[in-house]
Amino acid sequence: MNGAEALVRTLVGAGVDVCFANPGTSETHFVAALDRVEGMRCVLCLAEGSVTGAADGYARMADKPASTLLHLGPGLANGLTNLHNAGRGYTPMVNIVGDHATYHHAYDAPLTSDIEAVARPFSHWVRMGTSAASVAADAADAIAAARNPPGQIATLILPADVAWSEAPGGAAPPRALAVPEPIDPDAIRRAAAILRSGEPAALLMTGRALRAANLDNAGRIAAATGARLLSQTSNARVERGAGRVAVDRVPYPVDIALKFLAGLKHVILIGAKAPVAFFAYPEKPSVLTPAGCEIFCLARPGQDLGAALAALADELGAARAPVPAEALRRSAPPGDGPITPETLAAALCARLPENAIVVDESISVGRAFYGTLRGAPPHDWLQLTGGAIGEGIPLAIGAAVACPDRKVVALEADGSAMYTIQALWTHAREQLDVTTVIMNNRSYAILNIELARTGAGSGGPKAKDLLDLSRPDLDFVKLAEGMGVPAVAVRTADEAVAALERAHAEPGPHLIDAILA
Ligand SMILES: Cc1ncc(C[n+]2csc(CCOP(=O)(O)OP(=O)(O)O)c2C)c(N)n1
Ligand SMILES: [Mg+2]
């Protein structure tokens, strides 16, 4: 057995049984080993941004890491944007990055680079494999690091000679998994005292706190104390919809967020960060909570957030009775008329499949989606956790691979879609049940708003041209069809509803190019 095979066997043995890959010459022994080991599902993605985004989507839904396979420093560099998003969402991930053979570095061949330096800013754990005898243990350490609560990016660099040399020890057994740190009972009592004070208070949550079972306990707390239930602006995964306890997101625009949080005297953090503005704007605060509002951290991201909510509810003596949950409220189909953010929201809500996974990279057009779909049938909502666009179509790959019996609906703004458009080919190749809806406004529309918000003015012709996606208009139907995904353009709300019905009824991938008026 060579080092590559020992590595693959170690991954599969620890339950890391999906590999999103974009290989090269330095990874050929890893690629060859995949045929000698049972149990690894291999998914080819045609650019590294799709590889890392897919691995992010997979782990969000599977609650365990996928591996990636990336080609030296340049391949890793192409994937960094979505490693950034994944890291911000506490996604567990095991990256395998091929490298030149150790002795080949001395010759400074064209693909040589400092891979550790490329990896480090977007990885929590980085290691260079140094020998075939130890690479299986390195892999077991990488998996343990990735699964360290709440989830981390682990990057293992695999030199070609480490991969091809004999590995007498074979695979390494899985490491014991770290468990989330327990919650300090004093912190529970302190949080309960805050909530009993009667002063305006909110729970601010993210991560596993936003799973339905944990939200039930948040709902008990809210019912007993009147505390508001809030989530971060961006969250890796929210279980929501009819029958679940609803949580309000802190809004993105600073002025609206300030109003939203006004009057609060206490914010209790459950895995979340204290709310700050995405960007600084002249004359506006960075911190979104009002002056004098106390921020109390009940549970850090790596702690057991569900246990924190359960313990707090019990400490408060909150009733165990079912909490008030969201009622089923489907929008009426929007009828005839142009496609607008509002009619599209109604169409999506009217036709959202049961138990769907919604991937939201809808940017400005999607501003009404989250609110409108609040009472839709139960679904999961996946957001862009790091603010770096170009992840939605890849996230949908990973979500669909993790949950083959669920429908994925990817809500994609046109500009964002273009960063990793080749991910559609993987939707087709793997016949994933994904309906991608493009918000085609032929614009980086949000940046027009940001131009004014930052005080940069309304933009002259050069500025406007940089935010405009026409000349030529993008034809997403042709793009999708060229990659094997059936597609249709829609220009009215009626057509959008009909296209959603057709797409959800048929297995396999679909794309709907929603052309906004
Ligand atoms: C990796 C990355 N590059 C650039 C940006 C800056 N950016 C933020 S929004 C945006 C345009 C979004 O356009 P689109 O996806 O069409 O959404 P719309 O604004 O039209 O709703 C850009 C370029 C970013 N956030 N991330
Ligand atoms: Mg746009």
Side-chain angles (χ1 to χ4, degrees):
M1 185 185 308
N2 64 20
E5 184 174 334
L7 168 49
V8 175
R9 287 194 185 281
T10 303
L11 290 170
V12 173
V16 180
D17 53 8
V18 176
C19 181
F20 299 100
N22 190 265
T25 305
S26 35
E27 294 78 45
T28 51
H29 285 272
F30 184 99
V31 169
L34 293 166
D35 276 310
R36 297 197 296 274
V37 180
E38 278 295 313
M40 181 70 91
R41 176 164 180 193
C42 306
V43 178
L44 177 60
C45 299
L46 300 187
E48 292 85 352
S50 286
V51 170
T52 52
D56 186 8
Y58 174 86
R60 292 190 199 194
M61 293 312 302
D63 284 331
K64 64 174 188 170
S67 61
T68 68
L69 182 65
L70 302 165
H71 185 52
L72 301 101
L76 172 61
N78 270 342
L80 289 180
T81 302
N82 286 333
L83 285 192
H84 164 81
N85 285 323
R88 284 278 160 180
Y90 306 112
T91 290
M93 196 185 299
V94 179
N95 300 309
I96 308 296
V97 183
D99 191 8
H100 286 310
T102 46
Y103 60 82
H104 198 58
H105 268 267
Y107 305 104
D108 197 32
L111 269 163
T112 305
S113 68
D114 184 347
I115 302 179
E116 290 182 80
V118 176
R120 202 156 277 124
F122 299 100
S123 304
H124 302 92
W125 181 101
V126 181
R127 187 177 295 171
M128 174 69 81
T130 52
S131 88
S134 55
V135 75
D138 292 336
D141 289 346
I143 297 160
R147 301 198 72 156
N148 202 50
Q152 302 197 104
I153 308 294
T155 300
L156 175 60
I157 303 162
L158 177 66
D161 54 340
V162 170
W164 74 49
S165 299
E166 198 53 26
R175 304 267 181 267
L177 291 185
V179 292
E181 278 174 61
I183 308 295
D184 174 6
D186 282 344
I188 299 287
R189 284 191 284 275
R190 170 85 188 108
I194 290 169
L195 293 176
R196 284 201 199 96
S197 74
E199 294 191 322
L203 303 186
L204 181 61
M205 299 175 279
T206 196
R208 298 272 177 115
L210 301 175
R211 302 296 173 85
N214 296 332
L215 286 174
D216 282 349
N217 284 320
R220 291 170 59 205
I221 296 165
T225 66
R228 290 169 66 190
L229 300 183
L230 310 181
S231 76
Q232 288 187 172
T233 307
S234 305
N235 307 283
R237 175 176 171 191
V238 187
E239 291 185 345
R240 66 195 299 265
R244 286 168 174 174
V245 172
V247 176
D248 294 317
R249 278 193 316 201
V250 175
Y252 170 89
V254 171
D255 291 328
I256 300 175
L258 290 171
K259 283 204 190 90
F260 179 83
L261 298 170
L264 281 175
K265 288 277 186 229
H266 303 275
V267 170
I268 297 175
L269 303 178
I270 318 253
K273 293 210 160 101
V276 296
F278 245 76
F279 293 101
Y281 299 88
E283 320 294 334
K284 296 205 169 143
S286 293
V287 171
L288 297 175
T289 40
C293 176
E294 183 207 5
I295 309 278
F296 178 73
C297 181
L298 173 59
R300 294 184 302 281
Q303 292 186 289
D304 188 336
L305 308 185
L309 288 165
L312 182 54
D314 289 348
E315 175 73 22
L316 288 161
R320 288 211 165 262
V323 291
E326 212 49 49
L328 178 66
R329 277 179 290 108
R330 288 253 194 206
S331 301
D336 202 12
I339 294 179
T340 64
E342 290 70 31
T343 58
L344 197 50
L348 291 166
C349 183
R351 293 293 176 265
L352 189 75
E354 287 277 339
N355 206 23
I357 300 166
V358 177
V359 173
D360 183 3
E361 192 171 41
S362 58
I363 319 291
S364 70
V365 173
R367 59 186 177 261
F369 292 174
Y370 197 72
T372 304
L373 271 77
R374 196 180 167 116
H379 58 277
D380 287 59
W381 198 279
L382 277 47
Q383 291 177 279
L384 201 59
T385 45
I389 58 176
E391 193 178 28
I393 307 177
L395 275 180
I397 296 175
V401 168
C403 301
D405 48 357
R406 298 175 67 176
K407 292 272 179 193
V408 179
V409 182
L411 308 174
E412 271 299 312
D414 52 357
S416 299
M418 287 305 293
Y419 288 76
T420 44
I421 192 75
Q422 75 287 335
L424 287 174
W425 180 86
T426 304
H427 291 191
R429 154 121 357 152
E430 300 291 324
Q431 280 300 296
L432 303 175
D433 258 343
V434 181
T435 300
T436 303
V437 185
I438 302 287
M439 319 294 143
N440 191 338
N441 60 1
R442 301 161 301 284
S443 171
Y444 283 165
I446 194 169
L447 295 185
N448 281 296
I449 305 169
E450 295 286 33
L451 206 60
R453 274 187 194 144
T454 52
S458 53
K462 287 185 194 167
K464 290 217 165 85
D465 199 47
L466 287 182
L467 310 183
D468 169 77
L469 299 185
S470 68
R471 220 179 70 244
D473 287 354
L474 288 157
D475 186 334
F476 283 94
V477 172
K478 282 192 179 147
L479 285 166
E481 287 176 347
M483 288 181 270
V485 173
V488 60
V490 296
R491 286 182 175 74
T492 67
D494 266 353
E495 287 171 2
V497 171
L500 286 167
E501 281 169 8
R502 279 195 306 274
H504 296 333
E506 267 180 35
H510 294 272
L511 181 137
I512 299 170
D513 186 8
I515 316 249
L516 278 104

